[in-house]
């Protein structure tokens, strides 16, 4: 079958470089071992879900799998040196395709990945073999952003993909995928990374001793969030939620807390709820006499919050 001519891919102006070797992934050694063995034996499921919290390394792992599938070396992972690996590292390999939320006419991210996007970016290309590589790799992230119509349109292809296709569905919310989608994929879940590995990831970042604990606290075991403590808006949200937990039931505190409530109401609900849950878990741990798992710098306030709620 003749291959469809593709437009020349321009190298990004910032000359992107991404990690593509399994050795460069922070944590998740067991998942990498299983994936590497499957690649070596040629039995990697063609439809995979990579699940886990934001910043834990799901998309990075998906890109590493894509590079490994295109790599010319005999090893189970990407070598990082061959032609396909160099293209994958610069995100210009024509057969590794990423599908993300698109922007609307006002240059704002859409809320859904719609059926037309799935048809154009995924289903239509399935009729042709890879342009130059071994596999045609589709990385869909966030996969749970596909609306019901888009997910249903993808069902048959996930169940019976062409032999040259690899699907990698990346999501922080696997529950947002239809049961029919999940039943057609093998799911790999990435858990937060251990403290020692997170500390190692901070090396060479110029982090001061004072910033170290805060960086680790805000990251919560997710390497991709090691710079979250630099986000003033996020830190303000955290402080606001902690204040609400400590004084939220005291009527006298309402005038001071009302601006916090109004500010939080403007943020994405899922992000606020996720941060609130993280703080609540640590408040419970603190109340039980244990160290907070994430927000160690807020331990006194979390203990006070737990006591206040226990009255």
């Amino acid at each position: 079958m003749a291959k469809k001519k593709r437009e020349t891919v321009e190298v990004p102006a910032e000359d992107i470089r991404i990690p593509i070797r399994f050795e460069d992934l922070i944590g998740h050694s067991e998942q990498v071992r299983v994936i590497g063995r499957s690649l070596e034996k040629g039995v990697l499921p063609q439809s995979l879900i990579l699940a886990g919290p934001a910043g834990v390394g799901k998309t990075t792992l998906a890109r590493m799998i894509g590079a490994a599938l295109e790599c010319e070396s005999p090893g189970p992972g990407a070598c990082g040196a061959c032609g396909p690996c160099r293209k994958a590292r610069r995100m210009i390999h024509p057969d590794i395709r990423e599908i993300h939320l698109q922007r609307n006419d006002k240059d704002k991210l859409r809320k859904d990945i719609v059926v037309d996007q799935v048809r154009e970016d995924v289903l239509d290309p399935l009729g042709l073999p890879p342009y130059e590589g071994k596999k045609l790799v589709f990385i869909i992230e966030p996969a749970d952003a596909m609306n019901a119509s888009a997910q249903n349109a993808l069902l048959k292809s996930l169940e019976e993909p062409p032999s040259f296709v690899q699907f990698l569905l990346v999501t922080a919310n696997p529950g947002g995928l239809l049961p029919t989608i999940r039943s057609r994929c093998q799911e790999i879940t990435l858990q937060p990374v251990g403290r020692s590995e997170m500390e190692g990831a901070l090396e060479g970042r110029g982090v001061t001793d004072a910033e170290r604990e805060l960086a680790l606290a805000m990251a919560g075991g997710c390497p991709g969030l090691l710079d979250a403590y630099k986000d003033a808006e996020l830190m303000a949200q955290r402080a606001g939620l902690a204040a609400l937990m400590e004084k939220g039931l005291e009527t006298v505190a309402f005038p001071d807390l009302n601006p916090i409530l109004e500010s939080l109401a403007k943020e994405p609900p899922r992000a606020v709820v996720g941060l609130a849950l993280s703080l609540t878990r640590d408040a419970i741990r603190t109340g039980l006499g244990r160290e907070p798992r994430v927000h160690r710098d807020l331990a006194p306030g979390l203990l006070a919050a737990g006591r206040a709620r226990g009255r």
Side-chain angles (χ1 to χ4, degrees), residues 110-133:
R110 299 181 185 275
K111 295 182 179 180
D112 298 327
I113 294 175
V114 297
V115 65
D116 287 343
Q117 185 181 351
V118 167
R119 286 172 178 158
E120 181 178 347
D121 295 343
V122 182
L123 302 183
D124 289 350
L126 290 181
L128 296 172
Y131 183 66
E132 65 177 43

Side-chain angles (χ1 to χ4, degrees), residues 106-181:
K106 297 181 180 179
D107 200 34
K108 293 184 178 180
L109 283 179
R110 299 181 185 275
K111 295 182 179 180
D112 298 327
I113 294 175
V114 297
V115 65
D116 287 343
Q117 185 181 351
V118 167
R119 286 172 178 158
E120 181 178 347
D121 295 343
V122 182
L123 302 183
D124 289 350
L126 290 181
L128 296 172
Y131 183 66
E132 65 177 43
K134 304 174 185 177
K135 291 280 187 177
L136 189 55
V137 181
F138 294 98
I139 299 173
I140 305 177
E141 187 278 327
D144 57 284
M146 290 188 290
N147 61 25
S149 296
Q151 292 189 46
N152 281 319
L154 193 61
L155 277 177
K156 182 172 176 58
S157 297
L158 287 176
E159 187 172 21
E160 299 177 358
S163 60
F164 53 81
V165 168
Q166 176 69 53
F167 286 109
L168 299 167
L169 276 58
V170 180
T171 176
N173 177 33
L177 294 171
L178 296 175
T180 46
I181 290 282

Side-chain angles (χ1 to χ4, degrees), residues 242-254 256-257 305 308-309:
L244 287 171
M245 290 174 62
E246 184 176 355
K247 302 178 180 179
L249 296 183
E250 298 177 9
T251 305
V252 69
F254 182 77
D256 294 329
L257 297 178
R309 302 290 79 76

